[in-house]
Amino acid sequence: TNFKGTPSGKGAVDYVLWDNNGKPLAVLEAKKTGVSVQLGREQARLYADALQEKFGQRPVIFYSNGYEIYIWDDCVYNTPRQLYNFYDKESLQKLFFQRQYKQDLTQNYPTRCSEIAERPYQTIAIKTVGEHFQNQRRAALIVQATGTGKTRVAIALTYLLLEKYWAKRVLFLCDRRELRSQASDNFTEHLSTEPRCIIGETSEIDHSARVFISTYPAMMNRFAQLNTGYFDLIIADESHRSIYNKYGDIFEYFDALKIGLTATPVSFISRNTYELFGCENQTPTFSFGLEEAWEHEPPYLARYEVRE
C-alpha cells in the first residue's frame, strides 16, 4: 500500500481481513512476542489510512504481539482497548453496520422507554447511562434499592440500545434460575417484540435472538462457544463482589458495553465492582437508595419497622 510511515512511501500490511464486497474489514499489525504490543499501534493506524485511501472504507484496527490483542475502531472511539480474542467476520460486519446507522443516545428519547420505566428517577438513570455511552464510556453501574424497578430500567435500556442501533444482541445475567425465569417474564411483558433466547447449561443458542437471558454459572460454561464480539451489551443483575471473584471471565471475554445493577448501598459496594463497571472515585453512574424511595411523596417504598 501507499504508506506514509516509510521513506519509500510503500509498506506491506501484515494481515488484512476482507469483506465479501472486496473491501477491508480490519487490518492487523502483528509484532514479535518479545516486543511491546504498543509499538504496533501507530503503524497499524498508518496502514488503516492507506487502505481507507485506496478502498474508501476505513478498516477496524487490530494490533498484537501474540500475547496481547488490542482493537481500535478509531471512527468511533478515541482510544484502543484490550481484547481477549479477535472479532470474527460477523462481529466486524456488525461494527460497520453500527458505524453507519447508530443514533445519538442523548437525542429523541423514545416514548417506549417512558412506558416501560415511567418513574422520574428511572428516566434519569436511563438517560444518564445513555449519555455515559455517548461520551465513549463503555461501562456503567446503577444502584437502586430493592423494589424500585431495576429490571424495568434494564429493559428500557435494552430497548434504547436496540432501537438506536447500538446493539444487535443484549445479554442479561442473573444469579439463579428462578430469577432467570422472572427476568424472561418481565422481558416478555415489556419487550415482547424482540426475540429472546434463554441460555442454559446445554440448550441450543438461537443466533437470531436479540435478547439473551442466562445465569452466571450457565454462561460460564457456554461463553467460549461464542465470539468475543458476539454481544453488544451485557447487563449484570445483582452486581456484587462474587461476580468479580467467580464470574469475571465473562466480562473479560466479551468486548461489550456493560451495565451493572445492584441494590447494595453505595458504601458497601466493593472496590472491584466499581472498577469492573468503570466507576472512578467509587461513585456509581446513578443511584437511588432506600432513603430517597421512602422520602418521595407519595413514598415509592414503605418504611420497615424492626420487631424485637
Side-chain angles (χ1 to χ4, degrees):
T1 62
N2 292 320
F3 180 62
K4 296 174 184 174
T6 58
S8 66
K10 299 288 182 182
V13 181
D14 286 339
Y15 297 93
V16 179
L17 308 179
W18 300 100
D19 203 351
N20 300 339
N21 60 6
K23 292 192 174 184
L25 281 173
V27 59
L28 166 62
E29 176 59 26
K31 290 298 180 189
K32 293 178 182 177
T33 53
V35 172
S36 169
V37 68
Q38 296 303 331
L39 293 176
R41 174 176 167 170
E42 180 63 12
Q43 195 173 345
R45 187 186 70 80
L46 291 170
Y47 282 131
D49 289 347
L51 288 163
Q52 181 179 9
E53 185 179 327
K54 184 172 182 179
F55 294 97
Q57 175 172 292
R58 186 166 188 80
V60 174
I61 295 167
F62 291 103
Y63 53 97
S64 174
N65 63 358
Y67 291 113
E68 297 175 70
I69 304 168
Y70 282 82
I71 185 173
W72 190 13
D73 187 7
D74 62 353
C75 288
V76 182
Y77 290 98
N78 294 333
T79 55
R81 55 188 183 269
Q82 192 167 1
L83 287 183
Y84 187 91
N85 207 343
F86 289 103
Y87 273 43
D88 64 9
K89 189 175 188 177
E90 189 271 341
S91 295
L92 284 170
Q93 289 169 330
K94 185 176 59 170
L95 279 188
F96 277 85
F97 178 88
Q98 290 165 353
R99 259 193 209 175
Q100 186 174 354
Y101 292 106
K102 73 180 185 179
Q103 301 164 18
D104 193 321
L105 293 175
T106 64
Q107 303 296 319
N108 303 317
Y109 187 68
T111 305
R112 186 77 189 97
C113 286
S114 300
E115 294 168 353
I116 296 168
E118 75 279 4
R119 291 178 176 179
Y121 66 85
Q122 293 173 330
T123 300
I124 293 170
I126 295 158
K127 288 185 174 181
T128 301
V129 172
E131 186 176 331
H132 218 57
F133 289 160
Q134 189 66 46
N135 291 332
Q136 300 203 2
R137 305 293 291 273
R138 291 184 57 83
L141 180 65
I142 296 174
V143 179
Q144 280 183 221
T146 300
T148 58
K150 291 195 303 297
T151 306
R152 284 202 179 209
V153 168
I155 295 169
L157 278 163
T158 298
Y159 177 83
L160 179 68
L161 268 72
L162 291 172
E163 182 72 7
K164 298 276 190 180
Y165 299 110
W166 279 64
K168 180 180 180 181
R169 302 186 191 98
V170 176
L171 173 63
F172 184 90
L173 290 168
C174 49
D175 266 347
R176 304 185 305 280
R177 290 181 184 178
E178 297 80 14
L179 294 175
R180 185 179 67 187
S181 298
Q182 189 177 316
S184 181
D185 291 343
N186 285 324
F187 272 94
T188 300
E189 180 181 356
H190 299 293
L191 209 59
S192 58
T193 55
E194 299 297 347
R196 253 174 356 279
C197 172
I198 293 180
I199 300 178
E201 301 286 344
T202 57
S203 58
E204 194 75 25
I205 296 176
D206 178 6
H207 297 293
S208 66
R210 305 288 299 281
V211 176
F212 297 77
I213 302 170
S214 179
T215 61
Y216 294 104
M219 184 50 64
M220 280 295 288
N221 290 332
R222 305 296 297 274
F223 73 81
Q225 301 170 15
L226 302 169
N227 181 248
T228 291
Y230 191 78
F231 294 113
D232 304 291
L233 171 67
I234 297 176
I235 300 175
D237 195 20
E238 295 308 328
S239 306
H240 42 65
R241 189 187 300 269
S242 69
I243 285 180
Y244 185 91
N245 293 340
K246 292 169 67 176
Y247 310 121
D249 286 354
I250 298 171
F251 299 95
E252 288 186 22
Y253 181 81
F254 291 114
D255 182 44
L257 299 172
K258 299 174 179 72
I259 299 172
L261 306 173
T262 186
T264 303
V266 170
S267 56
F268 290 93
I269 295 172
S270 72
R271 180 177 53 82
N272 290 340
T273 300
Y274 279 120
E275 288 177 358
L276 181 62
F277 295 101
C279 297
E280 296 89 1
N281 306 320
Q282 302 196 354
T283 304
T285 311
F286 173 84
S287 64
F288 188 80
L290 272 174
E291 290 289 341
E292 292 167 288
W294 288 336
E295 290 171 5
H296 185 269
E297 290 295 335
Y300 288 121
L301 294 177
R303 289 181 181 271
Y304 59 80
E305 294 180 14
V306 179
R307 295 188 63 178
E308 296 184 5

